Amino acid sequence: MAPAQRLGGRPEETPAGPADPSDGTANLPTSARRSLRLVLLSDRADAVGLGTTLIVIAAVFSVLSPYFLRISNLSSIGVAISLTGIVAAVETIVLVSGSLDLSFTAVMALSAIVGGVAMQSGLSFWVALLLMFITGIAAGLLNSALVVGVGVNPLIATIGTQFVFRGIALIWTGGQTLLVTGNELSTLANGTILGIPIPVCAVVGVFAVVALAMKYTRFGSRVYAVGGSESAARLAGISIWRLRTLVFVYSSVAASAAGLLLLALSGSASPIAASGQELTILGAVILGGTSLAGGRGTVLGTALGVMLLGLIANGLDLLGVESFWQTLVEGIVLVTAITWDEVRRKAQER
Amino acid sequence: MGVSSEAVLEANGVSKHYGAVTALDNVDFTIRSGEIVAVVGDNGAGKSTLVKVLSGAIHPDAGEIRLEGQPVSWTGPRAARDAGIETVYQELALAPNLDVVSNIFLGREMLAPGPLALLRVLNRDEMRRRALSQLTTLQVNLPRIVGMPVRRMSGGQRQAVAIARSAFWASKVMFMDEPTAALGVRESAAVLRLARRVADHGVAIVMVSHVLSHVMEIADRVVVMRHGRKVGDMRDVKHTSEIVALIVGG
């Protein structure tokens, strides 16, 4: 038998191409330059960078406002980001799989209305909860039917279904907001577990479950595989339609869960709830290092992205800054996130 | 382990038509365990169609396929895979963002034992151990097999991963489609040596290739296709001109 051979040489020996003086590494040897670039573009670098930004911004706001670091304020931030956090965590799965779902805010609103109408009609909280989740499952199946069944581009399909779900919500309520109360909703909104508000526990729980699933389960591994190369996954025998259907259903069910929290926290169900927040939430996911192209992203990164946006919104509120400026800030964050995603994708192709 | 005397995979009188076009015309084919058979021919000669029929990707319109003497009619490539037939595709079919271990077990992940299996938790330690064993057996040296996406590897390394993966699962036959087409001289030589090591472990290899020098270097037999027909089945080829003459005909 032939002696062991090292196949193809080490990656560092592959010529890196002409030096790029703009990336700050032009004076380094080729292999060191490539290694440095790989480190800077890694998931870990994203998380460290984002975490550092989070700490810096928190420090700035804590200096500018004496209320920022109060427990009550931090608790408010936690509750405020619980809704966006739940959908952002599961939207990470959608993006990593190489797809997209922009209908989640509409599903959130519609689910809240389904739950609200059910409770106003005298049905128990648990029946209303079941109906809300059925709404989520149905919404997910519709998205899947369009994207996986028919082959419609997911961006277009879920923008379309977003309008369908909003339209149903508006027609059903006549454009009115329903006021809904109940003991269970009150407990959800105001209760605590070991002193931590239930909404915060819920979002932490969702992040933990998604993170563990993506890292340790076959489902998570296959989501990354399909996002990285759908053809390779298909040739390996993975059922693409089944996986994508599951992903869309999980996305919409998470939106329904967020709808339940919305119902509890606001005491109401509005057909226009969370309208326009899709791109902000998407921005938080991309900011956290998840790629629009699929195959890359971590739930930790999404958590940091959600926290960063939540901190900024809260800090600007405390400083009395007009909400128009918040819109500008969210836009800057979204543009930055998408630009960095594209820069990183192109760098990895080289 | 040398070449066995019994055929592991046979095709008898297979034909395939696409409308008025005859892609395969009454073709016979055999391969034995441990043998490397190269299938060569010009574009449109029927090489890819023959491989697709043999690997279960498509059904022939006529003729039969036998695996270890038993007639088979696969419902698709997955059924062929379950029977021990694997394919190394020209585009490699690796997930670029996954590491070597994840790619080797792609679609066939091992689950942790006990209650964790209900949650479909992966048994990463066992997968890593088995992948390392396979790579060691085939003498494939890679910088990292865990945590490093294969897109960061060279073309030759990725080809080696694809071959090692197919060899891991192929208990009977492995198909290789243009395995050296995108590789340089050194990497091609290493891939061919790897293919020989796989065959030495008893796997029959069917290799489609345009590179006749590589065919001469590694193949035990050369099957020549032209216009959907088998026009040559040669052993002990002395020079590529013998193959070229059959490819172009006349």
Side-chain angles (χ1 to χ4, degrees), chain A residues 26-350:
Chain A
N27 295 324
L28 295 172
T30 300
S31 61
R33 201 183 317 139
R34 183 180 162 87
S35 297
L36 179 60
R37 193 168 72 217
L38 288 174
V39 166
L40 291 175
L41 295 172
S42 68
D43 288 340
R44 200 166 295 169
D46 278 344
V48 168
L50 205 51
T52 305
T53 306
L54 200 63
I55 292 169
V56 167
I57 289 184
V60 167
F61 280 131
S62 65
V63 167
L64 294 176
S65 169
Y67 304 106
F68 186 78
L69 285 179
R70 286 190 180 177
I71 296 295
S72 57
N73 187 57
L74 294 177
S75 182
S76 294
I77 296 174
V79 172
I81 65 174
S82 62
L83 294 173
T84 53
I86 287 173
V87 290
V90 184
E91 184 71 9
T92 307
I93 304 177
V94 180
L95 260 66
V96 170
S97 76
S99 194
L100 191 61
D101 180 2
L102 288 183
S103 68
F104 49 81
T105 52
V107 175
M108 198 192 303
L110 181 59
S111 297
I113 285 168
V114 165
V117 168
M119 282 188 267
Q120 280 188 341
S121 304
L123 293 173
S124 74
F125 168 79
W126 299 106
V127 172
L129 183 64
L130 180 63
L131 291 172
M132 291 175 74
F133 281 111
I134 289 173
T135 302
I137 292 170
L141 289 175
L142 175 60
N143 285 331
S144 171
L146 289 171
V147 175
V148 183
V150 180
V152 180
N153 177 285
L155 173 67
I156 307 298
T158 56
I159 286 176
T161 56
Q162 181 195 109
F163 283 117
V164 167
F165 302 142
R166 287 269 180 216
I168 292 172
L170 285 163
I171 292 169
W172 197 351
T173 60
Q176 304 299 312
T177 298
L178 306 176
L179 295 177
V180 186
T181 57
N183 292 334
E184 293 89 352
L185 291 178
S186 182
T187 302
L188 261 180
N190 304 308
T192 61
I193 298 174
L194 299 176
I196 302 169
I198 288 180
V200 177
C201 294
V203 69
V204 169
V206 169
F207 269 108
V209 167
V210 174
L212 291 171
M214 291 297 280
K215 192 170 169 62
Y216 294 111
T217 70
R218 185 173 70 185
F219 170 76
S221 179
R222 289 186 176 187
V223 166
Y224 279 104
V226 170
S229 172
E230 185 177 305
S231 60
R234 182 179 292 111
L235 287 170
I238 293 172
S239 174
I240 305 298
W241 76 264
R242 187 164 166 238
L243 185 130
R244 290 207 184 284
T245 298
L246 273 177
V247 167
F248 275 114
V249 168
Y250 289 158
S251 176
S252 292
V253 167
S256 292
L260 173 66
L261 266 186
L262 180 64
L263 197 58
L265 289 170
S266 64
S268 64
S270 164
I272 59 170
S275 184
Q277 290 185 25
E278 305 81 20
L279 293 182
T280 308
I281 293 168
L282 191 67
V285 176
I286 298 171
L287 191 67
T290 298
S291 174
L292 272 173
R296 179 193 172 128
T298 64
V299 175
L300 171 63
T302 296
L304 292 172
V306 167
M307 281 195 280
L308 182 62
L309 285 183
L311 276 186
I312 292 173
N314 177 263
L316 292 178
D317 263 344
L318 285 178
L319 295 178
V321 176
E322 281 182 332
S323 61
F324 308 133
W325 285 97
Q326 279 193 30
T327 305
L328 175 64
V329 168
E330 285 170 3
I332 290 172
V333 167
L334 184 61
V335 169
T336 304
I338 293 173
T339 304
W340 176 237
D341 178 45
E342 187 61 22
V343 164
R344 186 176 49 202
R345 189 187 64 77
K346 284 192 169 123
Q348 283 179 344
E349 282 174 4
R350 288 198 303 216

Side-chain angles (χ1 to χ4, degrees), chain A residues 2 7 216 218 222 224 295, chain B residues 78 97 109 120 122 139 190:
Chain A
L7 285 166
Y216 294 111
R218 185 173 70 185
R222 289 186 176 187
Y224 279 104
Chain B
R78 189 158 187 174
N97 56 324
E109 299 86 351
R120 305 291 191 261
L122 297 173
Q139 300 173 41

Side-chain angles (χ1 to χ4, degrees), chain B residues 119-167:
Chain B
L119 297 172
R120 305 291 191 261
V121 174
L122 297 173
N123 190 343
R124 289 199 183 276
D125 286 342
E126 184 60 19
M127 288 195 289
R128 187 191 60 79
R129 192 188 66 76
R130 292 195 187 190
L132 191 59
S133 173
Q134 168 73 354
L135 294 169
T136 303
T137 298
L138 293 178
Q139 300 173 41
V140 175
N141 288 323
L142 296 167
R144 276 172 68 184
I145 65 170
V146 173
M148 177 174 172
V150 296
R151 68 165 177 264
R152 292 198 199 156
M153 295 182 176
S154 69
Q157 289 171 327
R158 289 198 297 272
Q159 185 71 270
V161 172
I163 293 172
R165 176 175 70 182
S166 285

